[in-house]
Structures are given as C-alpha cells and as structure tokens.
Amino acid sequence: MKKNILLSLLILVLCTSIFTACEKKESSENTIKIGVSPVPHGEIIEYIQDDLKKEGINLEIIEFTDYVKPNLSLAEGEIDANFFQHEPYMNEFASEQNINIISLGKIHVEPLGLYSSKYSSIEELKDNSTIAIPNDPTNGGRALILLEKHGLIKLKDGAGLSATEKDIIENPKNLSFQPLEAAGLPRILRDVDGAVINGNFAIEAGLVPTKDALILEDKDSPYANIIAVRSGEENEERFQKLLKILQSEKVKKFIEEKYDGGVIPAF
C-alpha cells in the first residue's frame, strides 16, 4: 500500500514536471519579448501587436533609452529580439563584445540630420562653431560623413563609418566637435551651435526632420534599422511571422503617414 502511494506521488510529480516543461516551451514559441527604443520603434511594434496576435504570437515590449543594454540583454537571453539599431552599428558592437546576434531584416531608415536652434542653414554657421555628434563610434562616423557630404569638412580617404575627428583633413570653418550620448543630444541643442541627431531621438524631442534639419540623410542611406535576434534563431516561425508583418504594405503606409518623411520604409 505504501509503495503504491509513493509510486502515485512519483507519477504525479513527473506528470507535473512534463506539463510545466511543455507549457514553458509553448509559451516561448508563442511569445516574443522585444526590446525597443520608444520612438519610432516602439510605436511601430505596438501598431502590429494585434496583427501578430492573430498569428498566435504574443509580444512583450520592453523600452530602452540607450544603445548598449538592448544588445547585451538580447545576447544574455533576457529578451528575444530588439529593434533600435542599424546593421553597421550592430556588427561593430557584436564584434567588440564578442556576442552572436544577427539581423533578421530591414524595416526603416531614420535619417540622421544636423539641427540648430541658432541657425536656419549651414551657410549661416560661423567659424569656430561647436557641433555635437553621437559618441558611439558608428553614429559618430556617420555624422561626420553627413557633414562631409554637404561640404562642411573633408575626411581622409578610407575613413568610412569608423571616422573620428582625427580623420578630418579639411575644416574650412574650423568647427569643433563635442561627442555626447546620442539620446541626450536634443536636450543640449541650445547649448551648441548645432547637433547631429538620430532620427528617432529627433522625433521623440518634437523635431520634424524634413522641416527642422539643416541637412538630412536621404532615402538612399545604407543605415536601415533592423530587427536583431540571436544567431541560429532567425528561422524560428515566430520571428518569421514578425518580419513578414513588419515588412507589409500596411506597415509601410503607417510609417509614411505617421512620420512624414522623418522615418522611411526600407523594404
């Protein structure tokens, strides 16, 4: 009798364990915990939440306000995907941190722009003006490339996306550069002569890139924002469903109408 009771208890424990494991597996396969920058990434993800739910996938949205934690959280398994960065930044970060994350697909471009609360054109910029730029290597280089394209500086050959102030070989207006955290650039706009600001942070601060920027990246910018996932998980059904919806005509129309050129579809 005692043996029967013990056997029954053992079977109950095993069944409960199996049920719990299956439940966790099913939950994982039908849930995506995604890290986003609030604008526009979070808004775009919120827009597709119901569409994804119809496909049997639940989204858990976690907001980040920096460019470091989302990738580390993804690599460490705290989230399943992130949506805040372009591929060159992701590749450089992954290489430096020795983490295995890859692009699931391109969603949109957020044109980088030069903004000023003092001047209405780059021609008005005075000699010795101070320009704030993002302090992360990729977006800092991207900012300098934008300034070079519009004749404000010239970079040495081959500087590319990793360009820094040391790579400037011509600086007619003797501009000085102040690298700062990208998210904080809109807040110091009045303290400098100009600031090169990422599109998402500009929009978040109430700026309209197509109207307020003195110069702006165009639609051919190679810095499309992507969905990032851990390497080896990109073919999972839940992620493929996410990508298909994000690259739909419905989302394209939403981006074009909501952001008025401040965010451009990249698919």
Side-chain angles (χ1 to χ4, degrees), residues 32-33 41 66 72 96 98 110 113 124 128 130 164 182 191 194 204-205 213 221 226 230 241 246 249 260:
I32 299 175
K33 189 179 291 187
H41 309 80
D66 72 292
L72 295 179
E96 289 178 352
N98 193 28
E110 298 168 18
E124 294 178 10
N128 303 308
T130 298
T164 69
D191 301 323
E204 200 172 324
S221 168
I226 59 169
R230 286 180 290 275
K241 287 181 177 180
L246 280 171
E249 284 299 314
D260 191 27

Side-chain angles (χ1 to χ4, degrees), residues 16-64:
T16 302
S17 299
I18 292 169
F19 176 77
T20 302
C22 291
E23 187 178 38
K24 285 182 179 178
K25 183 179 180 183
E26 183 179 353
S27 176
S28 175
E29 290 176 351
N30 292 284
T31 299
I32 299 175
K33 189 179 291 187
I34 185 166
V36 300
S37 294
V39 179
H41 309 80
E43 294 175 340
I44 295 171
I45 291 296
E46 286 177 2
Y47 179 70
I48 67 159
Q49 206 164 6
D50 288 342
D51 293 311
L52 204 55
K53 195 164 188 176
K54 291 175 184 176
E55 295 290 327
I57 306 295
N58 294 313
L59 278 178
E60 291 183 27
I61 304 171
I62 300 170
E63 290 189 353
F64 292 88

Side-chain angles (χ1 to χ4, degrees), residues 171-183:
N171 188 356
K173 289 182 178 287
N174 195 33
L175 301 175
S176 61
F177 298 93
Q178 186 175 355
L180 296 167
E181 185 182 354

Side-chain angles (χ1 to χ4, degrees), residues 34-108:
I34 185 166
V36 300
S37 294
V39 179
H41 309 80
E43 294 175 340
I44 295 171
I45 291 296
E46 286 177 2
Y47 179 70
I48 67 159
Q49 206 164 6
D50 288 342
D51 293 311
L52 204 55
K53 195 164 188 176
K54 291 175 184 176
E55 295 290 327
I57 306 295
N58 294 313
L59 278 178
E60 291 183 27
I61 304 171
I62 300 170
E63 290 189 353
F64 292 88
T65 56
D66 72 292
Y67 284 173
V68 175
K69 291 179 182 177
N71 279 336
L72 295 179
S73 293
L74 175 59
E76 292 166 5
E78 295 173 356
I79 57 176
D80 303 309
N82 68 42
F83 181 30
F84 77 99
Q85 66 192 325
H86 52 65
E87 193 165 5
Y89 174 80
M90 181 199 71
N91 288 338
E92 185 165 336
F93 187 95
S95 176
E96 289 178 352
Q97 299 292 327
N98 193 28
I99 58 176
N100 293 315
I101 58 176
I102 64 170
S103 169
L104 185 65
K106 298 177 180 180
I107 308 302
H108 69 265

